[in-house]
Amino acid sequence: MSAKILYGKEFAAKIKESARVEVDDLKNKFGVTPGLAVIIVGENPASQVYVRNKHKTCEELGIKSEVIAMPETSTKEDLLSKIDELNAAADIHGILVQLPLPDAIKSHSEEILNRIDPLKDVDGFHPVNVGKLVTGSPALVPCTPAGCLEMLDLAGIEIDGKRAVIIGRSNIVGKPMLHLLMARHATVTVCHSHTKNLADVTREAEILVAAMGKPKFVTADMIRQGAVVVDVGINRIAPKKLVGDVDFDAAVEVASAITPVPGGVGLLTVAMLMKNVVKATKLQLKVKT
Ligand code: GUN
């Protein structure tokens, strides 16, 4: 049996369409245009592509987009004062600092990100938002795991009561994914580099999320027959060759549904960012989200 392939493009289109409707609503009912500011420091080519993509998607959906390109030589203080300015700007509802920051200020990333007003933190990285996610209060949630959940819902995949296993415990994917799945009543296990007998654990998963950043690490024998496999890995193994954390060609024969790489959950991240800008706008207007 060959798995159903969950292509990110069709889910991203649906998520963006629902964001567009909400943007129009905010304009019509409240006279407010949601605004996103993206700060990019230096000339990292991959970051430049991501930022252009965010800008283009904002324009598509009628969200005001401000890209702030700061020089490689910017100091921590330069960034903190730019963030203070954006925190106070009434027409900016979401602020995102594109990562990674240049080497000279990388060690200050946490302090810089924590300066963002939690209500404008559309990446969902601020400890206030992390805390709200853990306690189950409405929060801005990191875009990639939130996109995975949205995709499972749109694909009609039941989560309640399911046995879910996540490989990878990063702050950006693994940990938020744990809380999102647990809040939806899955029984969740998080595996990582010190997990013993990993395959024994992953073979229990009805929903398996691979997010540890190791090319084609998850092989067919690690997957339960009929599992839903969500591959969050993006690994460049040659200049023009991207692969996920899952050995797709083998896994597709065992899983009941699987996301490809490229063309899978990566496309959902920008779509969810747009939803987060809308959510942040509503939180600031104190409108129900
Ligand atoms: N760089 C790569 N992924 C991300 C992300 O999700 N947020 C930010 N701010 N930077 C990134």
Side-chain angles (χ1 to χ4, degrees), residues 96-99 123 125:
L96 182 149
V97 177
Q98 187 67 30
L99 300 174
D123 256 330
F125 295 164

Side-chain angles (χ1 to χ4, degrees), residues 115-127:
R115 189 75 156 232
I116 297 172
D117 179 341
L119 289 176
K120 296 191 177 187
D121 167 38
V122 283
D123 256 330
F125 295 164
H126 193 287

